[in-house]
Amino acid sequence: MEIAEQTWYVLEDRDRPGEHLTLTAGAVKYVLAWTDEAGAAAFVLGNPVARGLVPLALDTRGLKSTFLEAARRLGATHVLFDYLPGAHQAAAAEISRLEALLTLSAKGKNTGPAPG
């Protein structure tokens, strides 16, 4: 299944909706998302900074697009998928590429290979 078609999970603070976790590595600022709820929950358990956050499903193009816009406003240029503390790597995609995939998906066209 293509990344644009999968449900994404982000972590939310129910007291402060719209805030998202970011991570900067080198000169790149990432916003974090997971492709399964268990991965998002595992991140919370393994990262004290995330305590109290809960996974929120982004299961429509509209929700994903809104998330990507919020990420841009936070200064992020990429989404880091399925990151866990201590992991040496995780899949990343440029926000502009994900937006293009969402647009293609909306038009019913083949979105090509998943970013990575």
Side-chain angles (χ1 to χ4, degrees):
M1 180 181 300
E2 304 297 335
I3 194 71
E5 297 169 2
Q6 291 180 309
T7 297
W8 302 349
Y9 294 86
V10 298
L11 297 175
E12 81 168 343
D13 180 338
R14 293 178 193 225
D15 296 329
R16 295 177 296 185
E19 292 193 12
H20 302 289
L21 294 175
T22 61
L23 175 98
T24 302
V28 179
K29 188 171 187 178
Y30 299 91
V31 67
L32 305 178
W34 292 265
T35 56
D36 62 62
E37 188 173 6
F43 180 86
V44 171
L45 292 175
N47 191 333
V49 173
R51 295 276 195 256
L53 300 179
V54 295
L56 171 69
L58 305 180
D59 54 2
T60 67
R61 283 187 304 277
L63 289 172
K64 292 172 194 168
S65 293
T66 300
F67 169 71
L68 295 174
E69 177 60 28
R72 279 188 187 282
R73 291 179 185 216
L74 291 171
T77 57
H78 293 73
V79 177
L80 189 63
F81 285 98
D82 299 325
Y83 174 74
L84 292 174
H88 295 288
Q89 63 182 355
E94 289 184 28
I95 289 174
S96 58
R97 175 72 174 135
L98 290 169
E99 290 170 329
L101 288 172
L102 288 172
T103 299
L104 287 174
S105 177
K107 293 178 180 178
K109 295 182 180 178
N110 182 353
T111 59

